[in-house]
């Protein structure tokens, strides 16, 4: 396992529980050493050393440049027949680029971005969206099954990232419209708990309405899906749409709200903090 952040640490634990973790590597070595000591596994000094000892490698780091950097550092140790599973959320173009880099060396690369948050990573119940060669997916399936419950193969390299981007576009539109609707209902003087309970069963409902509107009503934005992370994902969606010469209005308007929240110091709050801004629509 390479990358022991909020997600990767739990994923490493899941792999260990399944008896499938030889060792870990993390850029900040102290994190890898602490986890390795706790689990009784190896903390590798470099990605290349890990690659020499493992035929399947799981990566979960922040963004496109970070995955590229880790794959470059794996290269000196990678042998033909190895399999690299990247669970980071990055652009489909990056996945295709790394797939093409590794293919001539006889190494498979699958894009395997995940959904379900830190809680899903902890419980091993992530939804995993996979792109790459179908036989490599069959080989990866038992490892992915230790990390998630819903594992779907979407097609050639980049398809997993495209599926994840589709999800992030929906989240952008939904969180924004839920925040707008609650601001409106509040201005109308409606009893919010009763409203949320009733509309939560209606056609306009969604996971975000049921689970986040109650927090908007209380003006509390507990740890969940950080504004900063979703903004990173929406920039990926922006770039992928731009490759089709298209723009996505909901993505663009949500990004503007996120930029404002980050500038105000709310980048590490849950994305329901958008209500901070929509509530000012009603002076
Ligand atoms: P995080 O807690 O910020 O951890 C980031 C990890 O990436 C750390 O281990 C960090 O190492 C490593 N890293 C960053 N840049 C690196 C580089 N250039 N070279 C090597 N390692 C590098 O992030 P996270 O929440 O675990 O998210 C990881 C990925 O999963 C992201 O792509 C994110 O979008 C995706 N994801 C996150 C969630 C979520 O709810 N958090 C949900 C679904 C998907 P250091 O320890 O040295 O900083």
């Amino acid at each position: 396992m390479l990358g022991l952040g909020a997600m990767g640490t739990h994923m490493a634990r899941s792999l260990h529980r399944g008896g499938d973790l030889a060792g870990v590597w993390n850029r900040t070595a102290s994190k890898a050493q602490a986890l390795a000591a706790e689990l009784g596994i190896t903390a590798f000094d470099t990605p290349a050393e890990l690659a020499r000892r493992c035929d399947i490698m799981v990566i979960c780091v922040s963004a496109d440049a970070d995955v590229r950097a880790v794959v470059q550092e794996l290269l000196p140790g990678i042998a033909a027949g190895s399999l690299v599973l990247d669970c980071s959320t990055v652009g489909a173009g990056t996945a295709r680029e790394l797939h093409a880099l590794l293919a001539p060396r006889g190494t498979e690369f699958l894009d395997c971005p995940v959904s379900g948050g830190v809680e899903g990573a902890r419980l091993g119940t992530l939804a995993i969206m996979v792109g790459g060669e179908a036989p490599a997916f069959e080989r990866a399936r038992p490892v992915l099954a230790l990390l998630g419950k819903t594992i779907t193969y979407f097609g050639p390299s980049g398809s997993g990232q495209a599926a994840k981007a589709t999800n992030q576009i929906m989240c952008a539109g939904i969180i924004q419209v839920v925040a707008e609707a609650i601001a409106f209902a509040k201005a109308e003087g409606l009893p919010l708990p009763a409203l949320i309970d009733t509309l939560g069963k209606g056609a306009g409902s969604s996971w975000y309405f049921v689970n986040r509107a109650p927090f908007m009503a209380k003006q509390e934005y507990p740890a969940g899906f950080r504004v900063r992370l979703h903004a990173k994902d929406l920039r990926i969606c922006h770039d992928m749409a731009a490759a089709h010469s298209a723009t996505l209005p909901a993505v663009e308007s949500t990004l503007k709200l996120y930029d404002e929240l980050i500038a105000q110091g709310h980048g590490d709050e849950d994305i329901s903090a958008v209500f901070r801004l929509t509530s000012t629509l009603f002076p």
Side-chain angles (χ1 to χ4, degrees):
M1 178 81 216
L2 300 110
L4 299 175
M7 298 293 284
T9 300
H10 288 304
M11 292 161 80
R13 287 181 190 282
S14 297
L15 295 171
H16 179 69
R17 267 197 304 277
D20 222 351
L21 185 68
V24 290
W25 174 83
N26 192 63
R27 180 180 59 179
T28 305
S30 55
K31 283 192 209 169
Q33 286 154 2
L35 189 68
E38 182 196 324
L39 300 180
I41 52 165
T42 305
F44 293 102
D45 288 336
T46 64
E49 264 182 51
L50 185 149
R52 278 184 202 103
R53 292 271 303 278
C54 306
D55 58 349
I56 301 185
M57 291 146 264
V58 181
I59 302 175
C60 190
V61 295
S62 304
D64 296 67
D66 308 314
V67 180
R68 283 198 194 99
V70 172
V71 170
Q72 284 297 335
E73 289 182 64
L74 282 172
L75 286 182
I78 255 176
S82 303
L83 176 58
V84 177
L85 311 178
D86 178 30
C87 295
S88 323
T89 301
V90 299
T94 299
R96 287 191 285 266
E97 175 194 317
L98 295 174
H99 179 271
L101 175 74
L102 294 178
R105 297 164 190 261
T107 297
E108 291 287 353
F109 179 93
L110 294 176
D111 43 308
C112 310
V114 302
S115 179
V118 175
E119 192 64 0
R122 189 177 69 78
L123 297 171
T125 56
L126 293 166
I128 310 180
M129 295 149 269
V130 186
E133 310 295 333
F137 170 63
E138 288 311 325
R139 194 175 154 207
R141 201 196 278 271
V143 175
L144 296 175
L146 299 175
L147 303 174
K149 285 276 170 277
T150 309
I151 301 160
T152 312
Y153 174 68
F154 283 99
S157 182
S159 308
Q161 296 295 354
K164 169 82 184 187
T166 306
N167 184 62
Q168 303 312 74
I169 294 166
M170 287 197 289
C171 293
I174 292 165
I175 198 69
Q176 192 184 148
V177 85
V178 167
E180 217 170 276
I182 295 298
F184 170 82
K186 198 173 172 201
E188 285 290 320
L190 292 168
L192 294 182
L195 180 87
I196 293 165
D197 190 47
T198 304
L199 300 191
K201 299 176 180 72
S205 186
S206 64
W207 186 93
Y208 274 110
F209 183 74
V210 170
N211 293 284
R212 292 295 181 252
F215 286 106
M216 292 181 188
K218 289 190 273 183
Q219 297 185 316
E220 288 172 9
Y221 315 105
F225 186 15
R226 277 181 286 152
V227 168
R228 207 182 294 283
L229 260 189
H230 197 202
K232 178 207 72 143
D233 296 351
L234 293 184
R235 290 207 171 82
I236 292 170
C237 300
H238 167 100
D239 292 348
M240 287 177 67
H244 295 276
S245 304
T247 46
L248 299 167
V251 166
E252 298 308 322
S253 60
T254 305
L255 266 174
K256 274 200 194 106
L257 296 174
Y258 286 175
D259 286 345
E260 210 174 323
L261 284 173
I262 291 167
Q264 290 176 8
H266 302 301
D268 290 319
E269 289 182 348
D270 181 75
I271 60 172
S272 51
V274 162
F275 185 68
R276 286 183 185 279
L277 303 177
T278 57
S279 57
T280 64
L281 294 171
F282 296 88

